Amino acid sequence: MYKRKAVAQAVSFAVAYVAFGAAAMAQDTSSAPMQRVEVTGSSIKRATAETASPVQVVTREDLAKSGKGTVAEYLQTLTADGAGSLPTGFGNGFAAGSTAISLRGLGATSTLVLLNGRRMAPFARADDGQKSFTDLSTVPMEAVERIEILKDGASSIYGADAIAGVVNIILRKDFTGLVAKGELGESRYRDGEVAKGTLTWGKGDLDTDGFNVMTNLEVYGNHELMNKDRAGRKWIGQGDIRPWGYAANSQFAGGYITPGASSPTPTGALRDPKTGNYVSLPGCSQFSPVVNQDPAGGCLWYQDQFRSMQPNIDGVNLYARGTKNLDGGLQLYAEAGYSKRDTSFTLTPPSTSPTVAFPPNAASPTGVIAYGNTILMSAKHPQNPYGADVRLRYSMFDVGPSTRSVDNAFNRFVIGIKGQKFGWDFDTAYLHSMSKLDLNYSNMINMKVLQAALGNPSSPYFPYYIGTQASKNPASLYAAMVTNATSHSTTKLDIVDFKASRELMQLPGGAMGLAVGAEHRRESLDNPSLSGTADGSINSSYVAAKGDQNISAVFVEVAAPVIQTVELTGALRYDKYKNFSSTTPKVGIKWTPLKTFALRGTYSEGFRAPGPAEAGVESQSTGSSSVRDPVRCPGGVPAAGGATQADCAISIGAVKVGNPKLSPETSKGYTLGMVWDPLANTSLSVDGFKIRRENEINPLSYVEAAALPTAIRNDNNLVVNGVVIPNTGTLLLSNAPYQNSSFTEIKGVDFDVKQRVKLGDYGRAVVGLTWTHIASWVRAEKSGTRYQYAGTHGNCDTSNCAGTPKDKISLSASWDYSPKFNMTATANYRADMQNVYFAGDKCASQFANGNPAPGDCRLASFTTVDLSARYNVTRQLQIYGSIQNLFDKVAPLDPLTYGGMSYNPMDASGAIGRYLKVGLRWTM
């Protein structure tokens, strides 16, 4: 193992050393005049698209050849995407129904997503209750011209919060004609169907007609896919992973009984007041298909009976743009976009014993209610044989599974004017954008009615029959006890901006360029919690954020070709918030000693002020993640006196409260690399990068929160030699307040190579490889504790607990046999990861026999191959199709992540299985 690490480190440091600058492709030597363009990361128009910054460009052709159905699907295959990315199938998260990209694994809130170079209103619910981000599902894929991914940050140009980088999605602006597309898709299991239709129309040539208008309409729908629909696909979607050596009480199990405790069970389990242990009521076979039942007498069941793997989605995207040439070299333009996306997920039935958190009040000064301790079955209840009030654990199968409906409506409007005046190229515009989110959670429980129906004989709702006798309950009881929890959230964004650029003077290497700009924007967030959660009266914790802020900014940028082969760039931005201000610089250098070789490097700084969810006094959320209970599973071994393997990977709730005393985050980023065209048809680039984000705004880590003496626990305390050890019960909830942590630092290398091959009569081919290697991903807590996540399953404090693989590789080969036919194959590789929460930690999962799991405590690597093809039948008609996961690879078993049931959410294509799409494209 040591040798393997040493070799990997040697390779990474050698590559980083070679990447001493970042390079530009050889420039075209043609004497024809070149059009000056603006490149993401700079506001200065230039004749070459290459700057000192590493920019990955994804063309419309690349999107078409990928076979991916949405912009989010494509971007989440980028090797630079990491932990904190939000896939479509994550229905159990705060921001369910959305999609997002997380460059460098720094979280979606540190990746700035632009549309045509300007911002969009963020999704109306922060991920993990904290992280504001842009929902990629609002972008119509057919209207995309190209996507530019700036990998070194551009805080000095676009905003101080672009710490990890910028994704600029550029839509078509000069289209003429009519294009209609329709496509259908389904998995090899004949399920998970998808249908999409798009219509794009444009008219007017800017040069001859003086105007252009373009509209795009996209309508799509995806059928829900359940975890149980993959019952025959090995461990995929399985809650019960005992056949592969694991214990019965894994994280997706319910109904099992342990000493002094029981998880919710569909028959109901009552605690014997004499022994303190739970005893299950009869009738398990009526509810659970599990054959090998709990030897402790529980009614074992698993969440795959109910949970969605992929949601049901219905959506529409509408985009329009108009451009009109005016007198005097001016151009008026306007953009309008609308998106409506309705998503629904199916989750498990509610239970009678949740632990909920909410803002403290007079009735509940702690702001926490552990209903498992307070809801009792009365001694007079017909199903209680003990003659005393007793605790119960009951999963309410009679109520049915809960569904989460997430309806998001997004709009964006831009009107602006640009042109040339007084020797300046200028662009100014007003932008308004809004996101509206309606949540509707069905089959939620009014806990006061439930408490009375079980424990108060004088209540009109008493008795509430459970398990096999639930058919005795009247409809009036369910009408009073079962409710829908709803909320309506909004985010708003208004911007007025201006930027201008010009040539200043001639230097030995060419014209010196100058750009200046100013911006004022107002951001507001109103995300009320679900109805009934403000006082803990339903079975869900409080999640809310509210706030607004005004930000004013100015920037200046200079590009100076000091000699023929050297260009220096520099930018400076000043941002003014209500309580904070920042000055963020960026400098870069590009040296081109040969037309086919160049070195480049950048240094940049970033600044992110606390958002409303983090600093607002009305903000609070409760998240959850798997941790090892340091009390009941010290050193990775269940403690004597009643602890079990379940305590070694238990889901803990963590209450996060807005902290108005937070300070802003700051960052420093570096890139060093080269670009080289060693042969006429070969190009390669290598870029080393380092990002250090300091004074980070994070909740207390789940690992440290679990160790707090104030953590709330059940009262099934450990009993050793007849002695009860206080405060050692099952871990339920802890506080994880927002704080300014120490820092996060990421080091790595991006490698990109492209080879073009002429095949004579057989056409031509292009082979490309993109590789991102993470050499180090360190997070330091305020306490001074450092966690190394590179190559591990952590950071589990980010979404999904998806892990931080050291290597991600994308290899593509595209073959054009003729202008009529193209075929493209793409292989995507994710490296293996240690199944530990952080480097040096004990294995996070164990087999039933106590050995580390999976084998050698390592999650296997995963590679899939996608294939797409297009054939132009006529000039107007094109047939196309794609096969995702061509070889039907099964995703490795992942016992730790909570983003997918027994598989890693990054490996979703290996869970769904081979997936086929076919479509027609008609052009007029």
Side-chain angles (χ1 to χ4, degrees), residues 58-71 74 141-142 144-147 172 181 183 196 814 822-826 866-871 878-884 917 921:
V58 178
T59 67
R60 182 156 42 95
E61 187 78 359
D62 294 331
L63 292 173
K65 290 179 178 179
S66 72
K68 300 300 182 183
T70 67
V71 170
Y74 184 91
M141 186 165 178
E142 181 65 20
V144 174
E145 178 65 28
R146 68 185 184 277
I147 303 173
R172 306 181 72 173
K181 284 180 62 176
E183 67 183 40
K196 183 167 73 171
S814 183
N822 169 269
M823 180 177 289
T824 301
T826 304
D866 301 332
L867 186 69
S868 68
R870 296 176 296 164
Y871 179 71
Q878 181 187 90
I879 301 174
Y880 64 92
S882 66
I883 306 175
Q884 306 291 309
K917 289 182 185 177
R921 186 176 191 270

Side-chain angles (χ1 to χ4, degrees), residues 15 25 55-57 79 151 600 674-678 682-687 749-755 767-772 810 812:
V15 174
M25 295 287 193
V55 179
Q56 181 178 349
V57 179
T79 59
K151 299 181 180 180
R600 63 185 175 187
M674 70 168 199
V675 173
W676 182 29
D677 292 354
T682 306
S683 61
L684 65 89
S685 66
V686 182
D687 289 283
V749 179
D750 289 324
F751 179 76
D752 196 340
V753 61
K754 185 171 291 185
Q755 176 68 54
V767 179
L769 181 143
T770 304
W771 173 19
T772 295
S810 178
S812 65

Side-chain angles (χ1 to χ4, degrees), residues 40-43 53 103 106 109-114 119 150-167 517-519 521 551-557 570-577 581-587 602-609 665-670 691-693:
T40 298
S42 173
S43 290
S53 298
L103 293 178
L106 281 171
T109 194
S110 288
T111 300
L112 179 59
V113 177
L114 306 174
R119 295 173 180 250
L150 180 71
K151 299 181 180 180
D152 70 342
S155 297
S156 58
I157 306 296
Y158 298 112
D161 52 348
I163 289 173
V166 178
V167 176
E519 171 186 285
R521 68 180 188 269
I551 304 105
S552 297
V554 293
F555 76 87
V556 60
E557 180 189 5
L572 192 67
R573 182 184 182 95
Y574 175 78
D575 287 89
K576 175 62 177 175
Y577 296 75
S581 62
S582 71
T583 302
T584 49
K586 180 175 181 178
V587 293
T602 64
Y603 167 79
S604 61
E605 294 183 7
F607 171 98
R608 189 179 76 84
E665 295 179 339
T666 60
S667 71
K668 295 180 179 180
Y670 310 81
I691 301 173
R692 185 181 176 98
R693 187 171 62 184

Side-chain angles (χ1 to χ4, degrees), residues 164-431:
V166 178
V167 176
N168 188 10
I169 303 169
I170 300 168
L171 303 186
R172 306 181 72 173
K173 60 182 69 173
D174 56 358
F175 175 78
T176 59
L178 178 67
V179 175
K181 284 180 62 176
E183 67 183 40
L184 300 171
E186 68 175 16
S187 78
R188 56 158 287 207
Y189 298 96
R190 302 295 178 90
D191 58 15
E193 297 87 355
V194 61
K196 183 167 73 171
T198 63
L199 191 65
T200 307
W201 173 82
K203 182 178 181 180
D205 183 278
L206 285 171
D207 292 330
T208 59
D209 302 319
F211 76 94
N212 177 264
V213 292
M214 190 271 284
T215 61
N216 172 263
L217 173 66
E218 179 179 81
V219 181
Y220 59 93
N222 296 19
H223 282 180
E224 185 177 34
L225 180 63
M226 308 299 293
N227 279 285
K228 61 186 177 183
D229 294 334
R230 292 297 176 267
R233 193 172 173 81
K234 296 185 178 181
W235 46 78
I236 299 299
Q238 300 278 359
D240 187 357
I241 50 178
R242 287 178 291 175
W244 297 278
Y246 293 84
N249 50 354
S250 60
Q251 65 172 314
F252 299 112
Y256 56 86
I257 291 176
T258 56
S262 173
S263 62
T265 169
T267 60
L270 309 182
R271 191 167 81 162
D272 186 333
K274 293 181 179 180
T275 66
N277 291 323
Y278 283 82
V279 178
S280 182
L281 296 177
C284 182
S285 60
Q286 178 177 328
F287 305 102
S288 174
V290 177
V291 176
N292 298 319
Q293 269 297 328
D294 180 19
C299 182
L300 194 61
W301 65 282
Y302 292 93
Q303 293 184 19
D304 51 287
Q305 280 186 246
F306 303 101
R307 274 184 55 168
S308 301
M309 175 181 284
Q310 295 288 319
N312 188 83
I313 303 175
D314 291 302
V316 58
N317 288 324
L318 178 63
Y319 173 77
R321 178 182 174 97
T323 307
K324 172 68 174 176
N325 289 339
L326 305 176
D327 294 336
L330 301 180
Q331 192 176 82
L332 178 69
Y333 61 91
E335 302 174 24
Y338 173 80
S339 174
K340 183 76 167 68
R341 180 178 167 103
D342 298 339
T343 308
S344 62
F345 299 83
T346 304
L347 297 174
T348 56
S351 81
T352 60
S353 52
T355 299
V356 299
F358 48 91
N361 56 45
S364 299
T366 64
V368 176
I369 299 177
Y371 279 111
N373 299 337
T374 60
I375 289 186
L376 305 177
M377 178 177 278
S378 169
K380 296 182 179 181
H381 194 290
Q383 290 176 279
N384 183 354
Y386 295 110
D389 293 354
V390 297
R391 294 182 185 177
L392 78 158
R393 297 292 183 264
Y394 179 49
S395 186
M396 304 168 74
F397 279 29
D398 53 313
V399 170
S402 176
T403 59
R404 291 188 175 183
S405 296
V406 183
D407 298 343
N408 183 38
F410 169 86
N411 63 66
R412 181 176 181 270
F413 174 75
V414 180
I415 184 167
I417 189 168
K418 63 181 180 179
Q420 294 182 340
K421 284 293 182 182
F422 311 111
W424 292 82
D425 292 320
F426 77 93
D427 188 349
T428 183
Y430 165 72
L431 177 149

